Amino acid sequence: MRQIHNRLRNFAIFALSLSMLSASSAMAACNCHDVPYYAHEEVNTHPTLTKPVSYVRAGRLIDPEKGVVLEDQLIAIKDKRVISITPWKKGPLDGPLVDWSAYTVLPGLIDMHTHLADMEQTANIAEPLLHSVADIAYMGAYNALVTLQAGFTTVHDVGTFRALTDVSLRNAIENDLVLGPRMNVVGAYIQGAGGGGEVTSGLAPDIQVPADMRAGVVSDVNDARLKVTYLLNRGADSIKMIATGAV
């Protein structure tokens, strides 16, 4: 699940990243017709936040609502949202145009299980202890970028060893500080002592694990309530509970 940048190696997907069109959730383009897709289209109704319209010319456009592939379409994007899709017509436009007339375009993909704000998984149980908070921040920014470039414009990020680093990454993306998909984050793992998301298994008993790696460890029902409240108050969108050893 964590090696996101390798999962689409057999075909090319292009995301409309913020750097190109300020539309990270708009569409993704590829050279094939039968790939997964998910529609996401909203219109920003706040005039004070408006920005110039940008355009994409799509040689073929997958319409998941109608179940058809449309030929030669013009996609208009404003304030990071698709505002219209119309047949392509030659003529002047009031904004920049990306010409993808040689490609098939589809709505941005959604990954429901990611760990962007963390390191790659290894066989070393102490791996999370080998990286500082700053290391994780840079790794998260990289993971977010390659995920977006792979065509995923929304993710459900379901846990990080260092509490709330996923919240910080989500906020950085929303504030246009780094490029990445929209993120729904959990803040930390809610679990019992020694659970699947705790870095203690196999370690000597006198090794002190950083407090931010135990932010979701609970001892009883009331403790669980307090820890869940803590995470939600600090920006978590949802809660991840590990009831087993993550198996």
Side-chain angles (χ1 to χ4, degrees):
M1 288 292 183
R2 300 187 183 184
Q3 295 178 345
I4 301 168
H5 56 286
N6 291 326
R7 62 180 61 182
L8 296 176
R9 67 186 65 170
N10 294 325
F11 55 88
I13 283 189
F14 303 88
L16 300 190
S17 67
L18 293 172
S19 61
M20 297 176 61
L21 296 171
S22 297
S24 67
S25 68
M27 312 289 280
C30 70
N31 282 321
C32 57
H33 291 284
D34 54 347
V35 297
Y37 52 80
Y38 188 90
H40 186 88
E41 181 175 321
E42 298 178 25
V43 176
N44 191 327
T45 58
H46 301 283
T48 58
L49 302 179
T50 58
K51 296 180 180 180
V53 178
S54 55
Y55 298 90
V56 171
R57 181 184 180 184
R60 294 168 301 279
L61 175 66
I62 294 177
D63 184 341
E65 292 185 347
K66 297 179 181 179
V68 297
V69 178
L70 304 174
E71 299 289 334
D72 211 7
Q73 299 291 301
L74 180 67
I75 305 163
I77 301 162
K78 188 174 185 178
D79 294 321
K80 304 181 183 180
R81 296 291 187 272
V82 172
I83 59 173
S84 69
I85 298 175
T86 57
W88 165 258
K89 294 181 180 180
K90 291 183 179 180
L93 300 172
D94 58 349
L97 172 70
V98 172
D99 186 1
W100 279 346
S101 56
Y103 299 101
T104 296
V105 177
L106 68 156
L109 306 176
I110 292 180
D111 193 329
M112 293 301 296
H113 190 131
T114 65
H115 298 274
L116 300 188
D118 230 328
M119 78 294 296
E120 293 281 350
Q121 187 173 8
T122 72
N124 186 354
I125 61 172
E127 185 71 31
L129 297 172
L130 304 181
H131 305 279
S132 68
V133 176
D135 291 338
I136 298 303
Y138 282 109
M139 291 177 187
Y142 171 78
N143 291 337
L145 175 60
V146 297
T147 299
L148 181 63
Q149 290 175 335
F152 292 87
T153 56
T154 302
V155 302
H156 186 204
D157 205 70
V158 291
T160 177
F161 287 114
R162 289 191 178 273
L164 305 177
T165 54
D166 51 354
V167 173
S168 294
L169 179 59
R170 179 204 62 198
N171 293 344
I173 293 171
E174 291 180 353
N175 292 320
D176 294 343
L177 299 177
V178 298
L179 296 179
R182 285 183 174 84
M183 295 179 65
N184 180 291
V185 301
V186 302
Y189 304 107
I190 296 295
Q191 61 188 333
E198 189 178 14
V199 191
T200 57
S201 178
L203 300 182
D206 59 343
I207 293 179
Q208 295 296 313
V209 176
D212 62 351
M213 290 187 174
R214 308 198 76 235
V217 177
V218 301
S219 57
D220 54 36
V221 173
N222 186 61
D223 194 23
R225 184 181 298 111
L226 294 174
K227 295 294 177 61
V228 167
T229 300
Y230 170 84
L231 294 176
L232 293 176
N233 285 344
R234 283 157 180 78
D237 301 300
S238 53
I239 295 298
K240 166 76 173 285
M241 183 179 73
I242 298 181
T244 68
V247 294

